[in-house]
Amino acid sequence: MRPLTEESRVMFEKIAKYIRENLQLLVDRPDGTYCFRLHNDRVYYVSEMILKLAANISGEKLVSLGTCFGKFTKTHKFRLHVTALDYLAPYAKYKVWIKPGVEQSFFYGNHVLKSSLGRITENTSQYQGVVVYSMADIPLGFGVAAKSTQDCRKVDPMAILVFHQADIGEYVRHEETLT
């Protein structure tokens, strides 16, 4: 487990797509200081207090520490995992709410169509990272806005508005690969 070096720029750019200037609030929290650590191409979000305790465990015996925020691919791109959703959702700048009937479709990995849209944050630009919520304000996943807020009003009902990135249904879909 080591601190991020050149990878930190790539990771922070990806996280900033979703929470913008609230990125600092992720590190300096009221309940202590948190940091990001890299282990086996995965980035973990961990409290500094727990990090000090884990220093006694050798790197090859350490499986996981804290919350996995994402992983680096072989091409050195950063992919956010759905486990980061609980930490990104409170600080999300741009949000999309979907109708209750379409939540299951989103859980199966499908994109959000205009007919599925409940509401969207004003001034969302195209290709902006968004957090997808249910109409009951429960975070369901995240994606990338395919259209800006202004363009959403003009498109037909079957047009894609949010490209799917990750959702809480991944736990169930990938369950058989974990066992």
Side-chain angles (χ1 to χ4, degrees), residues 26-170:
L26 209 57
V27 177
D28 295 326
R29 294 179 25 176
D31 58 340
T33 304
Y34 281 69
C35 58
F36 292 95
R37 290 293 184 260
L38 184 69
H39 184 64
N40 294 340
D41 289 331
R42 295 189 187 281
V43 176
Y44 293 94
Y45 180 65
V46 63
S47 165
E48 283 189 349
M49 183 181 70
I50 293 175
L51 187 64
K52 290 176 186 174
L53 295 172
N56 298 329
I57 302 170
S58 65
E60 59 270 357
K61 293 189 180 185
L62 187 64
V63 176
S64 174
L65 181 66
T67 303
C68 183
F69 244 61
K71 72 178 263 183
F72 282 97
T73 63
K74 293 184 191 283
T75 58
H76 301 293
K77 292 181 180 171
F78 185 70
R79 300 230 22 183
L80 274 171
H81 283 186
V82 70
T83 50
L85 181 63
D86 290 334
Y87 298 98
L88 296 180
Y91 304 119
K93 192 103 163 118
Y94 300 102
K95 302 173 185 177
V96 170
W97 289 266
I98 59 175
K99 295 177 181 173
V102 222
E103 291 174 10
Q104 188 170 4
S105 174
F106 183 71
F107 292 153
Y108 284 125
N110 296 321
H111 302 306
V112 177
L113 305 176
K114 172 149 193 235
S115 59
S116 311
L117 188 70
R119 62 183 200 252
I120 186 170
T121 307
E122 284 297 320
N123 301 324
T124 303
S125 61
Q126 189 175 19
Y127 305 122
Q128 174 66 52
V130 294
V131 174
V132 179
Y133 282 87
S134 69
M135 291 304 280
D137 280 333
I138 299 169
L140 304 175
F142 43 85
V144 175
K147 308 271 187 212
S148 67
T149 304
Q150 291 76 22
D151 294 340
C152 289
R153 295 182 179 108
K154 299 179 234 173
V155 297
D156 65 294
M158 297 310 290
I160 295 173
L161 294 187
V162 177
F163 295 121
H164 177 274
Q165 294 287 307
D167 64 83
I168 57 176
E170 287 181 23

